[in-house]
Amino acid sequence: MYYNNEIETMPRADIEKLQMTRLKKALHAAASTPYYSKIYGEAGIDVSKITTFDHMQQLPFTTKNDLRMSYPTGMVTVPLSETVRMHASSGTTGKSTVIFYTRRDIEQWAEQVARAMYSTGARKEDILQNMMGYGLFTGGLGLHYGAEKLGCLVIPSAAGNSLRQIQLMQDFHPTIIHITPSYALHLVEVIKEQGIDPHSLGIKKAYFGAEPYSDATREKLEQLWGVKAYNCYGLSEMNGPGVAFECAQQAGMHIAEDYYIAEIIDPETGQRLPDGTEGELVLTHINREAMPIIRYRTRDLTRIIPETCGCGKTHRRIERIKGRSDDMIIVGGVNVFPSQIEAVIMNIPEVGNNYQIILEREEGLDRIHIKVELYSKLFKGDLKALQKLNKEIVEKLRALIIVTPRIEFMEPGSLPPSEGKAKRVFDNRVI
Ligand code: ADP
Ligand code: ZN
């Protein structure tokens, strides 16, 4: 029934005991790193005194920015000769967040994913077509190793190249697909355009993750593909996919609680909130040798479901991610902050000072449309010059956000001036 009976059905009291044992070890290791030794030293924190879930509240949060500041190895506990892999968040700034893993870390991550897949009903007989990006992004390799560990045949087809994906489906009959919900919406249309009935492909299950989507989208995707869909949550700072994963009940994602301590906080005050209340998810990785990140602010809004799950697992669940407590947007699977887009366009002298970012979804693909005001002088400029400028902005932004933006030049003063806090991002995507 379970991949790892002992761990997955462990009584709550024992899980909590295991978490504290692992936390102490993780804190001890973290305190040896340049980053945490400085932070804890300045705050006068003696990690050996942190022995309960309550005590943890004394520990400062770790943020994405802290990870950038300690780039590349300020949070690494072991010599790099002990590590066997690195990943980087799909955030596209030069200094992204880099995560290192020892051999044990990679094995443990595979175990975590194998276990999660098993609880959706996956077995060694299954064939997984893994349509997530491979490379620095954790989506592809993260699931890959877990599925192999379970004994599945893995087709590492990565994202994109739809016609080849379809060919692989027809030739090798995957029973499970791993894919972003937005690419799944697009791909299913391409399948239909080819005159193929998606239901005839024999796919039974789909793992959708890496970006937010709604229950309605899940239902739609289940119908379009003829599959059961399971929500898969993860972030590179906490390994990658498999941090929390739905079981066969499809009713919220079980957190791998022997790997993480989860807290929910009020994003404004940083105060911890009781189970069941919605807030920002904070995670502490207590089962990674190379990089034990402590109280990481995920910025993802959700709540812990306090009730036990019908599947019998004792690890608690989180609800579908509701949104983010910062302004990060995910476009075509890539994390972007509006400030990064702003930095690019505002560096171009011909651009005035107002702009809007409009996000849309066409046939399942994310589109980004940016309205940019020009300086009056240039607005009257000749068409050729404007076209050249447009191309320049598109190129610069494409290097940043990967998705090709559509740039529309606006007459100076034609965009609504901001009153107080500017609203520049309009997310019209129906998720
Ligand atoms: P990458 O895009 O490289 O995985 P990150 O690890 O930084 O980059 O992205 C993780 C973020 O993606 C999460 O913090 C969350 O906002 C989003 N995400 C991942 N999985 C899901 C999911 N199942 N539902 C909603 N959002 C998700
Ligand atoms: Zn369950």
Side-chain angles (χ1 to χ4, degrees):
M1 177 79 173
Y2 307 98
Y3 186 77
N4 184 335
N5 256 340
E6 188 197 339
I7 291 285
E8 290 174 80
T9 62
M10 191 177 258
R12 290 287 327 154
D14 292 345
I15 294 180
E16 283 160 24
K17 229 165 92 189
L18 176 65
Q19 284 183 322
M20 285 308 129
T21 310
R22 289 189 168 174
L23 174 69
K24 281 183 227 165
K25 214 171 142 194
L27 282 175
H28 183 74
S32 75
T33 63
Y35 175 77
Y36 285 108
S37 69
K38 179 165 175 281
I39 293 289
Y40 292 165
E42 280 167 7
I45 290 167
D46 173 0
V47 291
S48 65
K49 298 237 162 65
I50 310 288
T51 54
T52 67
F53 185 57
D54 259 358
H55 291 164
M56 278 181 82
Q57 296 183 84
Q58 300 164 29
L59 299 169
F61 296 115
T62 307
T63 64
K64 211 174 186 67
N65 201 42
D66 297 330
L67 273 152
R68 292 211 178 100
M69 301 295 281
S70 63
Y71 180 93
T73 56
M75 288 189 196
V76 181
T77 64
V78 295
L80 287 193
S81 58
E82 294 304 309
T83 62
V84 298
R85 171 104 63 89
M86 64 172 266
H87 279 290
S89 158
S90 64
T92 46
T93 41
K95 289 206 191 322
S96 52
T97 50
V98 183
I99 307 297
F100 293 89
Y101 310 77
T102 64
R103 184 173 306 285
R104 179 183 182 277
D105 295 339
I106 293 292
E107 282 165 5
Q108 287 289 296
W109 185 12
E111 163 99 15
Q112 168 187 7
V113 169
R115 191 205 279 176
M117 287 180 60
Y118 192 93
S119 62
T120 67
R123 296 295 180 270
K124 71 183 284 295
E125 292 73 22
D126 279 298
I127 299 176
L128 172 79
Q129 187 154 328
N130 194 8
M131 295 182 270
M132 286 282 186
Y134 276 70
L136 286 174
F137 176 60
T138 56
L141 285 168
L143 220 87
H144 184 113
Y145 276 64
E148 275 190 3
K149 170 123 185 151
L150 191 58
C152 299
L153 167 62
V154 185
I155 309 171
S157 57
N161 204 340
S162 300
L163 294 181
R164 194 182 62 180
Q165 302 284 6
I166 298 167
Q167 190 68 54
L168 288 166
M169 287 175 184
Q170 289 185 305
D171 295 348
F172 299 100
H173 312 292
T175 50
I176 309 177
I177 55 173
H178 180 218
I179 182 168
T180 61
S182 52
Y183 185 43
L185 281 168
H186 173 70
L187 185 58
V188 78
E189 291 309 320
V190 183
I191 292 175
K192 288 197 280 187
E193 275 164 24
Q194 299 294 308
I196 302 164
D197 172 10
H199 292 218
S200 74
L201 292 168
I203 303 163
K204 305 272 184 303
K205 298 180 183 31
Y207 300 150
F208 294 128
E211 63 188 9
Y213 61 109
S214 63
D215 265 325
T217 299
R218 185 231 292 266
E219 273 166 36
K220 187 172 168 194
L221 282 166
E222 285 193 324
Q223 279 163 15
L224 286 168
W225 282 90
V227 295
K228 285 247 172 245
Y230 303 90
N231 196 357
C232 167
Y233 170 78
L235 59 162
S236 46
E237 293 82 352
M238 291 291 129
N239 277 4
V243 171
F245 215 114
E246 270 182 338
C247 65
Q249 307 275 322
Q250 296 176 296
M253 301 177 278
H254 288 279
I255 310 160
E257 286 195 280
D258 52 331
Y259 287 59
Y260 310 100
I261 296 179
E263 302 169 73
I264 298 287
I265 62 159
D266 177 330
E268 299 293 324
T269 64
Q271 289 304 305
R272 191 184 274 170
L273 298 171
D275 276 11
T277 316
E278 195 178 300
E280 181 183 325
L281 180 66
V282 169
L283 292 168
T284 297
H285 205 319
I286 50 171
N287 193 32
R288 189 167 57 197
E289 284 176 337
M291 245 177 125
I293 299 180
I294 311 298
R295 298 196 90 200
Y296 184 68
R297 288 192 65 162
T298 65
R299 301 287 177 180
D300 291 319
L301 301 175
T302 182
R303 72 181 186 104
I304 290 180
I305 304 171
E307 297 81 25
T308 50
C309 182
C311 74
K313 278 199 198 210
T314 47
H315 296 220
R316 292 175 308 168
R317 290 163 294 162
I318 49 169
E319 245 173 22
R320 183 176 292 286
I321 306 297
K322 293 276 164 54
R324 295 196 43 99
S325 68
D326 59 12
D327 57 356
M328 187 181 92
I329 48 180
I330 303 182
V331 187
V334 175
N335 302 343
V336 197
F337 287 93
S339 54
Q340 292 176 272
I341 295 179
E342 174 169 323
V344 170
I345 56 183
M346 288 301 157
N347 258 328
I348 296 175
E350 293 89 341
V351 167
N353 35 28
N354 214 349
Y355 66 93
Q356 281 184 351
I357 301 168
I358 300 142
L359 300 171
E360 261 136 16
R361 189 159 283 168
E362 286 165 25
E363 292 168 11
L365 290 182
D366 284 340
R367 304 268 180 233
I368 182 161
H369 172 190
I370 303 172
K371 294 186 179 177
V372 186
E373 277 186 15
L374 288 178
Y375 271 130
S376 349
K377 269 203 312 216
L378 259 134
F379 189 67
K380 307 242 157 32
D382 67 297
L383 202 60
K384 259 220 164 90
L386 283 180
Q387 278 171 344
K388 192 167 158 266
L389 181 62
N390 196 305
K391 210 169 149 214
E392 182 192 336
I393 300 178
V394 168
E395 291 302 322
K396 284 205 168 126
L397 283 173
R398 201 176 35 204
L400 176 76
I401 53 182
I402 300 169
V403 174
T404 306
R406 183 159 73 83
I407 305 294
E408 186 182 353
F409 289 139
M410 307 291 291
E411 212 169 318
S414 61
L415 291 173
S418 68
E419 288 158 11
K421 210 170 152 61
K423 177 156 173 59
R424 298 198 192 277
V425 181
F426 298 84
D427 196 343
N428 301 331
R429 294 174 295 186
V430 179
I431 62 165

